[in-house]
Amino acid sequence: MKIGFAVPVTGSWATPANQLRIAERAEDLGYHSLWTLQRLLTPADSADETYRNVPDPLVTLAYLAGRTTRIRLGVAVLNLPFFSPALLAKQAATLDHVSDGRLDLGLGLGWMPEEFAAAGVPYERRGARADEFLRALRALWTEEISEFHGEFYDFPAVRMDPKPLQSPYPPLLLGGMSEPALRRAGRLADGWVSPSRADLGSIGTSIARVKTVAAEAGRDPAALRFVCRGVVRVRAEDQGPLTGSHQKIRSDLRALEEQGMTEVFLDLNFDPEVGGPHADPAQSMRRAEEALEALAPSLS
């Protein structure tokens, strides 16, 4: 199982300098990948401060692409309704070139009504919109001249260049835990990425469902990637999956591999003591760097 690490993307420690520091050290330690997430905004009256101060994920990855050479660069996830297929096709293809073919593109539907309102898109029928979006996106990337006429997206005969550097395009990983989301990943994607609130104790059930749907669609389940956002909380005592001592967390990683995960990226952003808006950035970096060292793939 491959191990990645999420750069600082929420709260007080989410600065370019800290992102670069984590990225360079992760590459030195042999981590497979770096990860970001997307959040446009949060409701003004929300008591949940999980997603305060979230920088743009694609701009962040472009910055890190220029300062790293080997480590893969992923986003989990971009919300499709906030883009047009042409805009995302252009941005992702350009980032694929900037990173020398290291982009992993996680995509989702979005779930926060306030973001949909601010983006000017309807919340309803997100699933049908996503299916059509993916067809249009692939057409722009793979066809010399592409034309698309659908219910949600419509464009005449066009050329979209440059094409992605990876062939035929960057790996597409779909997120979500609902039955329609798992079916969509099995039918249409190169893999599945789990959300932050997934039950890691039973996540193998979701993996099995995606594989079953892939087989029913005539696809090879063994070719799919299964990526876990591993929400890590380093604590003195065992408090559940990926929560406890570094030794306990390493043991939990082995359990995830046994359930069928092919990749895990360790994410401290969801620990309010690290990624919260009021956390001490220096202390957050100290804890993250300790975890980077203790959980490095080279120590497996």
Side-chain angles (χ1 to χ4, degrees):
M1 186 174 67
K2 297 172 181 176
I3 307 296
F5 207 90
V7 299
V9 291
T10 69
S12 58
W13 74 320
T15 67
N18 287 343
Q19 292 164 346
L20 177 60
R21 195 163 132 193
I22 292 294
E24 291 180 333
R25 187 60 183 140
E27 185 167 71
D28 289 343
L29 289 169
Y31 281 85
H32 174 70
S33 52
L34 298 168
W35 292 83
T36 59
L37 60 81
Q38 183 186 48
R39 192 89 281 140
L40 294 182
L41 44 78
T42 57
D45 58 354
S46 176
D48 184 355
E49 296 186 315
T50 302
Y51 297 112
R52 291 282 300 278
N53 192 45
V54 177
D56 182 83
L58 296 182
V59 173
T60 297
L61 291 180
Y63 170 59
L64 299 178
R67 303 295 294 269
T68 56
T69 59
R70 302 181 306 277
I71 198 164
R72 290 195 66 82
L73 305 170
V75 53
V77 295
L78 294 179
N79 294 308
L80 293 177
F82 307 155
F83 295 85
S84 69
L87 177 60
L88 183 56
K90 177 67 72 174
Q91 290 181 322
T94 303
L95 181 52
D96 203 38
H97 282 269
V98 167
S99 66
D100 196 25
R102 291 185 282 146
L103 176 63
D104 286 327
L105 191 60
L107 302 173
L109 303 189
W111 53 267
M112 188 182 294
E114 290 83 358
E115 287 186 312
F116 281 79
V121 293
Y123 190 82
E124 296 74 24
R125 304 196 65 206
R126 293 171 295 154
R129 182 181 293 272
D131 286 353
E132 191 171 293
F133 189 110
L134 291 169
R135 294 198 303 273
L137 186 66
R138 286 191 169 101
L140 289 163
W141 277 341
T142 61
E143 298 172 8
E144 181 65 24
I145 297 176
S146 54
E147 183 172 352
F148 193 88
H149 303 288
E151 178 183 357
F152 305 100
Y153 304 103
D154 190 290
F155 51 83
V158 297
R159 298 180 186 271
M160 203 295 291
D161 295 303
K163 302 298 185 189
L165 186 60
Q166 296 180 84
S167 180
Y169 41 73
L172 296 179
L173 309 170
L174 294 187
M177 285 290 293
S178 69
E179 171 65 14
L182 299 176
R183 292 188 61 82
R184 187 174 297 108
R187 289 187 295 108
L188 302 174
D190 300 302
W192 175 68
V193 56
S194 67
S196 61
R197 298 181 180 180
D199 179 359
L200 301 187
S202 60
I203 203 165
T205 302
S206 297
I207 294 172
R209 184 60 180 143
V210 174
K211 288 183 175 181
T212 297
V213 174
E216 292 172 350
R219 308 179 69 212
D220 180 8
L224 298 181
R225 294 168 57 185
F226 293 92
V227 183
C228 176
R229 179 188 294 280
V231 175
V232 168
R233 295 181 175 88
V234 180
R235 300 287 189 271
E237 65 280 352
D238 180 350
Q239 297 180 11
L242 298 181
T243 301
S245 67
H246 292 136
Q247 182 178 1
K248 157 65 166 48
I249 291 168
R250 186 174 289 280
S251 175
D252 289 342
L253 292 175
R254 290 192 290 271
L256 285 171
E257 184 173 17
E258 291 170 358
Q259 291 193 74
M261 277 294 170
T262 62
E263 304 167 45
V264 174
F265 65 93
L266 309 175
D267 194 343
L268 278 69
N269 287 285
F270 291 83
D271 181 349
E273 296 180 9
V274 177
H278 309 297
D280 180 350
Q283 290 298 317
S284 296
M285 286 296 292
R286 178 187 62 78
R287 294 173 66 166
E289 288 174 322
E290 287 177 354
L292 264 176
E293 301 279 347
L295 301 171
S298 59
L299 299 178
S300 299

